[in-house]
């Protein structure tokens, strides 16, 4: 029930001093700060969005914060996942996040769930909390969080990011509110939306969207202001522009009665992004590719379909850069045909998903080739460590 009951809640002298800038706000005051202390928020994910969310929820005085994540801190996270530091690389994100939260607000109770959120555990994990903040980066988990919040009657503060663009809203604020299925009635085709690992993201963007999510959570808990329920806020960092779309419940939306298999629903079968395409084309491991290259028994063309900025970081020696967008648009088809004439074609990207897409596009023009599973990332780990990972 929000706002939470504050009958038995008191602020210590330290808390009064700590939250004094809230206490002097007429819209918040002592009662609002007590509501924050009495409230419990579950944050799913402690990555780009979860980092600012957790930092500002703790700083605001939320009394109980739950964190769901099973990943470890990686060097590539530090560009945007600001709750983590270099000394935490290789260690669990939830432990890093808890340590930072308690540095900010030692009065906060932090609950850790080092597990993937699944249809089997979601209701049990979410049920004790007043609201949920979705900081995930994949469609199966977003649908799962949404449906669990609908079944439990919990508000769902949503955000998503990609490259230079982000969006935020509040789902399921009450029984008449829209939810995630009103925004996405059906999931997009698998592999259609690249991950941040493949598409990239400017580091400050998740900070902006995550802080917006934290703002909405604070407003919902304290009962002040107008939330984003029924409004989808879109942000363009390159143009520094905000715009807003109305979001209404679909009267024909299917009733959510139970949690389902969300991997199957989204057509990903529990595989990583791009693996569906990779499974539909002939493939070779990086070790097998190395044997082919070293054997010099036939002429080969190793096509690199990553973007030019990625090639500036690292390349497999001897590869030819031909970005995927040029192949899918048809612009580069004849170039590839000419380069591959009389040669055996191998195609790679960073992880194997985009190269599989390239082969599917080339196949429609009668050009056949073999996908390099794991891409340049696997090459760096298994064949040549001097090739920079990113």
């Amino acid at each position: 029930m929000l706002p939470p009951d504050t009958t038995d809640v008191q602020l210590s002298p330290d808390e009064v001093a700590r939250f004094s800038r809230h206490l002097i706000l007429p819209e918040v005051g002592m009662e609002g700060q007590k509501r924050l202390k009495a409230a419990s928020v579950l944050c799913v994910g402690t990555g780009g969005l979860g980092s600012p969310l957790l930092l500002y929820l703790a700083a605001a005085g939320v009394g109980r914060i739950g964190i769901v994540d099973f990943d470890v801190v990686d060097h590539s996270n530090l560009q945007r996942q600001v709750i983590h530091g270099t000394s935490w690389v290789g260690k669990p994100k939830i432990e890093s996040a808890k340590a930072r939260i308690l540095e900010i607000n030692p009065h906060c109770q932090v609950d850790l769930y080092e597990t993937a959120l699944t249809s089997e555990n979601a209701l049990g994990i979410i049920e004790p909390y007043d609201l949920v903040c979705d900081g995930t980066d994949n469609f199966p988990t977003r649908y799962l969080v949404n449906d669990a919040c609908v079944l439990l009657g919990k508000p769902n503060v949503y955000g998503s990011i990609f490259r230079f663009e982000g969006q935020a809203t509040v789902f399921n604020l009450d029984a008449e509110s829209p939810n995630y299925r009103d925004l996405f009635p059906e999931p997009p085709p698998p592999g259609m939306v690249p991950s941040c690992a493949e598409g990239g993201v400017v580091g400050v963007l998740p900070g902006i969207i995550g802080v917006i999510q934290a703002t909405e959570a604070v407003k919902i808990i304290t009962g002040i202001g107008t939330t984003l329920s029924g409004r989808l806020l879109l942000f363009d960092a390159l143009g520094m522009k905000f715009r807003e779309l109305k979001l209404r419940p679909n009267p024909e939306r299917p009733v959510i009665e139970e949690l389902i298999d969300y991997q199957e629903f989204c057509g990903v079968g529990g595989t990583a992004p791009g693996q569906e395409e990779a499974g539909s084309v002939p493939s070779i491991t990086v070790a097998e590719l190395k044997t082919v290259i070293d054997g010099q028994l036939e002429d080969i063309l190793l096509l690199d379909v990553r973007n030019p900025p990625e090639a500036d970081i690292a390349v497999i020696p001897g590869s030819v850069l031909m970005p995927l967008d040029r192949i899918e648009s048809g612009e580069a088809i004849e170039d590839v045909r000419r380069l591959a004439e009389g040669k055996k074609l191998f195609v790679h990207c960073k992880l194997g998903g985009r190269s599989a897409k390239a082969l599917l596009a080339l196949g429609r023009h009668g050009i056949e080739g073999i996908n390099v599973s794991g891409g340049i990332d696997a090459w760096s780990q298994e064949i040549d460590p001097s090739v920079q990972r990113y």
Side-chain angles (χ1 to χ4, degrees), residues 2 6 24 33 38 52 70 99 148 157 160 168 194 201 206 217 224 238-239 245 259 261 281 284 320 336 353 371 378:
L2 286 170
T6 61
I24 61 177
Q33 196 61 49
F70 60 96
V157 183
S160 71
V201 60
I224 63 174
L238 281 180
L245 300 177
L259 301 183
D261 185 333
V281 297
I284 190 173
V320 176
V336 175
N371 189 36

Side-chain angles (χ1 to χ4, degrees), residues 14-202:
D14 177 76
E15 289 172 302
V16 171
R18 183 181 297 270
F19 305 119
S20 61
R21 299 305 186 270
H22 271 177
L23 298 177
I24 61 177
L25 283 172
E27 293 84 355
V28 180
M30 184 63 74
E31 176 60 22
Q33 196 61 49
K34 287 181 178 180
R35 289 178 179 180
L36 287 166
K37 183 175 181 178
S40 57
V41 178
L42 181 73
C43 186
V44 185
T46 179
L49 293 172
S51 289
L53 257 170
L54 291 165
L55 289 170
Y56 277 96
L57 291 176
V62 172
R64 181 185 179 191
I65 296 176
I67 310 173
V68 184
D69 205 310
F70 60 96
D71 201 3
V72 298
V73 180
D74 183 81
H75 277 103
S76 65
N77 301 148
L78 302 180
Q79 161 255 14
R80 65 201 177 280
Q81 298 182 17
V82 293
I83 202 169
H84 310 299
T86 303
S87 64
W88 283 92
V89 169
K91 301 175 184 177
K93 287 184 177 179
I94 57 171
E95 296 289 352
S96 169
K98 179 177 181 177
R100 185 70 183 117
I101 287 170
L102 294 179
E103 279 290 309
I104 294 171
N105 179 8
H107 303 284
C108 182
Q109 174 184 328
V110 184
D111 306 329
L112 302 183
Y113 304 91
E114 192 173 6
T115 181
L117 200 69
T118 67
S119 298
E120 288 69 38
N121 64 21
L123 295 177
I125 291 175
I126 292 173
E127 197 278 332
Y129 295 89
D130 295 319
L131 62 87
V132 176
C133 290
D134 184 352
T136 62
D137 61 357
N138 64 87
F139 287 96
T141 310
R142 288 171 183 163
Y143 279 103
L144 169 59
V145 170
N146 175 81
D147 291 4
C149 285
V150 170
L151 289 173
L152 294 169
K154 309 287 185 180
N156 174 13
V157 183
Y158 163 81
S160 71
I161 52 171
F162 182 63
R163 292 186 174 172
F164 293 91
E165 298 180 348
Q167 54 185 232
T169 189
V170 174
F171 292 125
N172 205 49
L173 185 62
D174 55 46
E176 306 303 318
S177 301
N179 66 54
Y180 187 68
R181 290 179 179 270
D182 294 304
L183 180 60
F184 289 105
E186 299 289 338
M192 181 66 70
V193 181
S195 66
C196 288
E198 289 198 313
V201 60
V202 65

Side-chain angles (χ1 to χ4, degrees), residues 345-362:
L345 175 63
F346 298 91
V347 184
H348 87 83
C349 61
K350 180 182 180 182
L351 300 172
R354 283 176 288 174
S355 49
K357 285 185 178 181
L359 283 166
L360 292 174
L362 291 169

Side-chain angles (χ1 to χ4, degrees), residues 12 14 234:
S12 68
D14 177 76
L234 306 174

